[in-house]
Amino acid sequence: MKKLFVSAFVAALTLSSCSSDDDSDILNDKNIDVPVSYDFTRNGESTVNFEGQTTRLQMSAELLSNFTDFDNASEEMLLNMFANENSPFANADLNASSKSIKSKVAASNLYFATNNVEASEIKADFESWITEQMTTVKANKDVLAEAGQAGQIAQGTRVRYVNGKGLELNQAFAKSLIGGLLADQILNNYLSQPVLDEADNRLNNDDELPEEGKNYTTMEHKWDEAYGYLYGDPSIPASNPNSILNESDDRLLFSYLGQVDEDEDFTGLAEETFEAFKTGRAAIVAGDYIVRDEQVAIIRENISKTIAVRAVYYLQDGKNLLANGEFGAAFHALSEGYGFLYSLRFTNNPMTNMPYVSVSDINNFKDQLLSGNGFWEVSPDTLDSISEKIAAEFDFSVAEAAE
């Protein structure tokens, strides 16, 4: 590993169940038994449950698969999928669910419990991308895109569909969902102290008092729900999720954690994150909330860094492709970069319990990318400036992220 994840790595050296025998002894001294897989039981029955998270991941996958299906999908259909209204899914089990994507977008306790105005604006952004895709872009799907004109643009033998600024709305939606739904719920909701320690959660957890009719305590379940947003896709094996990094059906956070982990500058990020989830859950079972909170800090740092690395990677990739005149590929990369940049709003710096990049800076970056004719005229200097500012907040270099 060329680059160590300073605070997270130090904590992992002390707490990881896959490190030295001495480290295991430390955990044993604390009565923390970290399993090899994410497997926790009580009275012979599993205490792990994240069905709601799997459901929302499946809803997201079906919505995204229809985003460019101009022959069969409609604005009404995709908006209904977003809100789970009027039975829009091909999967009948999803239609029967009380869950929805929209209800959990920008809905964390930490960032949005008293911030309803911004939460509503963020939800409206997602809906606006659906509406523009299924009205303006769909109406011009057979038109060649140009500055100010929505339509199609070639990427080799593939066809991409963009709005008048060159933005692929399906990519903006998907990559922004990684932050607005998954990261926000993991980092700022289920792993936040107000949620984990709400009301009598600590007392009930110490007494191993499960929720009524369940085999898990409320605190255990909240932790599992955070876990489920990262590892809950049905294609990811419960025994060892990282055994299929970059090979699962997941196209959201788990997929990009794996892609960042492939970069030698960030190798170990995925395993460290999985170990932190297991160790934190084991610490809850043992009633050790100091160790639990140390794992929260590792998870927050690593998932936030994943989002930042991909934002810089795609902005730099887009810059290089523009220089080569490969506009279709460049707009695709910049659209992904835009979505990851949007997702920075939902990162969490464990040192401040706030986003790594301020909301005002993020909004300024978005404005710079889409001002005028957007990607058609964005400058290399602008892409470099944004990339450098993001990288500086996360203590990695643009060169490391761009490889």
Side-chain angles (χ1 to χ4, degrees):
M1 187 187 328
K2 284 172 59 181
K3 183 176 181 65
L4 302 182
F5 308 98
V6 185
S7 62
F9 187 77
V10 171
L13 285 176
T14 306
L15 298 168
S16 172
S17 63
C18 292
S19 52
S20 69
D21 291 339
D22 289 341
D23 299 333
S24 298
D25 289 342
I26 292 171
L27 290 170
N28 290 335
D29 288 344
K30 293 174 174 286
N31 296 315
I32 298 176
D33 182 15
V34 183
V36 174
S37 62
Y38 197 86
D39 182 21
F40 298 90
T41 61
R42 179 173 289 113
N43 299 324
E45 296 182 5
S46 175
T47 61
V48 177
N49 183 292
F50 46 82
E51 292 177 359
Q53 287 61 48
T54 296
T55 294
R56 287 192 174 89
L57 291 176
Q58 290 177 306
M59 288 177 173
S60 299
E62 189 168 335
L63 191 164
L64 292 169
S65 71
N66 283 279
F67 221 101
T68 54
D69 186 356
F70 296 128
D71 292 330
N72 300 300
S74 67
E75 176 188 9
E76 180 182 17
M77 174 184 171
L78 296 188
L79 288 174
N80 281 338
M81 285 183 172
F82 187 52
N84 193 16
E85 296 175 346
N86 302 313
S87 300
F89 295 104
N91 184 337
D93 290 339
L94 300 183
N95 294 326
S97 173
S98 61
K99 314 296 183 184
S100 76
I101 303 167
K102 181 179 178 178
S103 65
K104 292 297 185 179
V105 166
S108 64
N109 178 287
L110 189 59
Y111 286 176
F112 299 104
T114 59
N115 191 6
N116 293 328
V117 172
E118 188 187 6
S120 296
E121 291 172 347
I122 290 168
K123 288 179 170 68
D125 283 343
F126 282 90
E127 291 174 329
S128 72
W129 294 326
I130 289 173
T131 296
E132 187 178 6
Q133 176 78 351
M134 286 296 156
T135 53
T136 305
V137 176
K138 181 177 182 177
N140 293 280
K141 65 183 179 64
D142 298 320
V143 177
L144 291 179
E146 59 184 46
Q149 170 66 59
Q152 62 173 261
I153 188 169
Q155 180 186 350
T157 59
R158 299 192 62 172
V159 175
R160 301 289 184 183
Y161 299 96
V162 300
N163 69 4
K165 294 181 181 291
L167 179 66
E168 268 189 282
L169 295 163
N170 58 315
Q171 294 300 327
F173 189 102
K175 276 51 180 187
S176 298
L177 197 67
I178 288 174
L181 174 63
L182 279 68
D184 190 46
Q185 285 296 301
I186 295 171
L187 310 182
N188 310 315
N189 194 59
Y190 290 119
L191 297 188
S192 70
Q193 195 166 42
V195 171
L196 287 173
D197 293 339
E198 184 179 11
D200 294 329
N201 284 3
R202 281 203 183 197
L203 179 62
N204 292 339
N205 190 69
D206 290 339
D207 292 341
E208 295 189 43
L209 182 64
E211 293 184 0
E212 185 175 355
K214 305 296 183 182
N215 196 38
Y216 47 72
T217 69
T218 297
M219 189 185 297
E220 290 171 338
H221 187 49
K222 297 305 180 186
W223 190 275
D224 292 341
E225 289 181 295
Y227 179 89
Y229 273 116
L230 179 55
Y231 301 105
D233 185 278
S235 67
I236 300 173
S239 58
N240 182 12
N242 291 336
S243 66
I244 61 164
L245 277 176
N246 302 313
E247 297 176 10
S248 74
D249 294 336
D250 181 86
R251 292 298 177 267
L252 294 172
L253 182 56
F254 180 75
S255 172
Y256 287 96
L257 177 64
Q259 291 180 46
V260 172
D261 189 80
E262 281 191 325
D263 184 336
E264 63 178 5
D265 294 299
F266 305 101
T267 299
L269 192 70
E271 186 62 27
E272 185 178 81
T273 303
F274 182 52
E275 288 299 315
F277 265 110
K278 290 192 301 174
T279 302
R281 181 60 156 80
I284 289 174
V285 173
D288 191 323
Y289 307 116
I290 294 175
V291 171
R292 179 201 71 179
D293 291 345
E294 289 171 342
Q295 307 315 300
V296 170
I298 294 171
I299 294 165
R300 282 175 166 169
E301 181 179 348
N302 288 359
I303 290 178
S304 296
K305 183 168 285 187
T306 297
I307 291 169
V309 168
R310 294 316 279 182
V312 172
Y313 172 87
Y314 284 119
L315 293 179
Q316 289 298 301
D317 191 35
K319 181 192 74 171
N320 295 332
L321 290 164
L322 284 174
N324 292 332
E326 300 176 59
F327 290 98
F331 290 179
H332 178 65
L334 292 175
S335 296
E336 294 190 89
Y338 178 90
F340 278 108
L341 191 155
Y342 194 102
S343 284
L344 289 173
R345 166 66 182 94
F346 309 96
T347 59
N348 185 301
N349 184 339
M351 299 298 293
T352 64
N353 216 20
M354 295 291 289
Y356 278 83
V357 183
S358 70
V359 175
S360 61
D361 281 347
I362 293 170
N363 289 337
N364 185 43
F365 296 158
K366 291 187 294 182
D367 289 343
Q368 290 181 59
L369 288 176
L370 297 182
S371 65
N373 287 316
F375 299 160
W376 293 98
E377 58 188 23
V378 68
S379 72
D381 288 344
T382 294
L383 297 174
D384 281 339
S385 175
I386 295 172
S387 297
E388 288 162 3
K389 289 175 181 176
I390 294 171
E393 295 294 343
F394 287 84
D395 195 29
F396 60 77
S397 71
V398 172
E400 287 170 328
E403 292 177 357

